Amino acid sequence: MTVATSIDQRVSLAVSTVIFALRPHPDTKLVTLWLPLVRRIREPHQGQWALPGGPLESDEDLASSASHTLQRTTGLEPGYLEQLYAFGNLDRSHVEHIESLDPTLNDRVVSIVYWALVQPDEVARAVDGENVEWFVADELPPLAFDHTEIVDYALTRLRAKITYTPIAHAFLPPEFTLAELRAVHEAVLRTNLDPANFRRQALASKTLVPTGTCLQGTSHRPPALFRFEADPPTTTPEERR
Amino acid sequence: MTVATSIDQRVSLAVSTVIFALRPHPDTKLVTLWLPLVRRIREPHQGQWALPGGPLESDEDLASSASHTLQRTTGLEPGYLEQLYAFGNLDRSHVEHIESLDPTLNDRVVSIVYWALVQPDEVARAVDGENVEWFVADELPPLAFDHTEIVDYALTRLRAKITYTPIAHAFLPPEFTLAELRAVHEAVLRTNLDPANFRRQALASKTLVPTGTCLQGTSHRPPALFRFEADPPTTTPEERR
DNA sequence: GGCCTTAGAGTCACAGTCACCTTAAGTCAG
DNA sequence: CTGACTTAAGGTGACTGTGACTCTAAGGCC
């Protein structure tokens, strides 16, 4: 920071985003985590799948860049967006599959990676196709660069964070039942949770507000609807401003 | 990442480090957190104190860059080093004191900030002087750029992390008593901890190994010496390799 | 020996968690 | 209308970790 007025030409800066959404698993039909990947159309790692992203433009914030990537690849707005980590080690372009040995293509890239939660809808499927494809997060093909590692870390972070922070709302509509909220947790954590205990803890967290209404038309006792509290405090620097 | 083969000239990349060490407070004599700052010798923010750091060299990893900064400003090796956050918003050079209005000096800088824990020794004081000076972490002067914000975030992270991770060892010699370990926690958290309860929790964490020996020469019952377990598992990507 | 200081072990009340059970409230089949 | 079925919602008891506190152990110092 102190003396940073020039930079070595060969270090470039990119922003990538790990985008999570919930959809039914094609085999088990159980709801699981999915994420969109982009097929690389040039060396290195041409043809392999990679995280969506791009170089940081000089007129956009880091988080804005991640948002733009999200919009470009899925057509969606982020329900939740947080910086994951900055990956910049020298060896990160050379992992595993060295396809191109042309050193000019092996430029040093520092990637600032964000992770996002979205609600997939019709629009998302429309953007699909082209070079974008959605995959089950825990059943990914080999990815370009160190992106497998990055996705693993993002999954760890998501699974840790959902247990102590109300981020599940990013996967849900404004109003939802406790069963729906629990289903999100179960899908992310890949476990079954005791409905009674989950209910008690969710209500104790003080982040849920009962709407007073109930969901009608079910073949059983109608469940109460909730919405999330307006201002859940966060701790990342960006959001503290 | 995907298309990152060129970068806008005006975005430069720097690595800064928040370096924490424990020393007695000059007034209260109680042990507290200190950190070294560097006086800026050019615009913008000339004369103000800032975090030590510098541009990322094309042949060094991000963490290595932070280590080099640490070595350069204090002469010390890091006992603990972890990436804090990447700060890159457009307005971060313009906060508060706009001294230089020359736009060419207000280049866009993305800073990847690390935080480190060190044991200060004689060497550290020797490097002192020049443009480096140590300050009590909670009583800093106004800093250049958004560095006040960054230090605040680093302090939050340190204080949160020491409660659930055995990082206190970075402030301690290889062998130490439980009272010394507790003193580190008390200094970082600025609270008094119940010795008996702290003991119970520390031993329950399974990260301490009794050496079998006791510290002799005290004017009371000799305390047992401990050392930290060899392999404390961590979760940051760098250390998982 | 008596006193001081700190180490270290133990006790008790309390809050949160987990596994499990019971009751409430609706739909649907007959 | 009635009973079967399903899920919501509330409750209970065992267990666990924590905070406040007490008590004993082991040294040095006077």
Side-chain angles (χ1 to χ4, degrees), chain A residues 19-23 70 74-80 116-125 134 167-176:
Chain A
I19 303 164
F20 291 115
L22 292 179
R23 289 187 190 174
L70 186 52
T74 69
L76 299 170
E77 298 293 327
Y80 182 81
L117 307 182
V118 297
Q119 303 182 44
D121 59 2
E122 309 311 317
V123 185
R125 252 160 254 148
W134 287 77
I167 52 173
H169 73 90
F171 285 130
L172 291 169
E175 298 195 355
F176 52 88

Side-chain angles (χ1 to χ4, degrees), chain A residues 145-222:
Chain A
F145 308 107
D146 53 355
H147 288 193
T148 299
E149 211 181 319
I150 294 176
V151 171
D152 282 349
Y153 184 48
L155 275 169
T156 304
R157 205 52 169 260
L158 166 59
R159 288 180 171 136
K161 195 141 189 172
I162 203 173
T163 62
Y164 62 86
T165 309
I167 52 173
H169 73 90
F171 285 130
L172 291 169
E175 298 195 355
F176 52 88
T177 68
L178 282 174
E180 290 168 337
L181 179 62
R182 177 166 50 84
V184 170
H185 279 78
E186 289 179 337
V188 170
L189 299 173
R190 293 184 298 179
T191 43
N192 290 326
L193 301 173
D194 184 288
N197 294 332
F198 180 83
R199 173 190 189 77
R200 192 161 12 92
Q201 290 170 9
L203 294 179
S205 74
K206 301 288 180 187
T207 56
L208 295 179
V209 181
T211 64
T213 56
C214 287
L215 186 63
Q216 299 296 334
T218 58
S219 70
H220 53 78
R221 175 172 172 176

Side-chain angles (χ1 to χ4, degrees), chain B residues 184-236:
Chain B
V184 170
H185 279 78
E186 290 180 335
V188 169
L189 299 173
R190 292 184 298 179
T191 42
N192 290 325
L193 301 172
D194 183 288
N197 294 333
F198 181 82
R199 175 190 189 77
R200 185 166 17 102
Q201 291 169 10
L203 294 179
S205 74
K206 302 287 181 189
T207 56
L208 294 179
V209 180
T211 63
T213 57
C214 286
L215 185 63
Q216 298 295 336
T218 57
S219 70
H220 53 78
R221 177 173 172 176
L225 287 170
F226 292 84
R227 81 174 68 243
F228 270 97
E229 202 178 21
D231 43 10
T234 50
T235 48
T236 53

Side-chain angles (χ1 to χ4, degrees), chain A residues 2 12 36 64 68 107 131 169-170 184 230:
Chain A
T2 324
S12 54
S64 303
H68 293 157
D107 261 354
N131 287 310
H169 73 90
V184 170

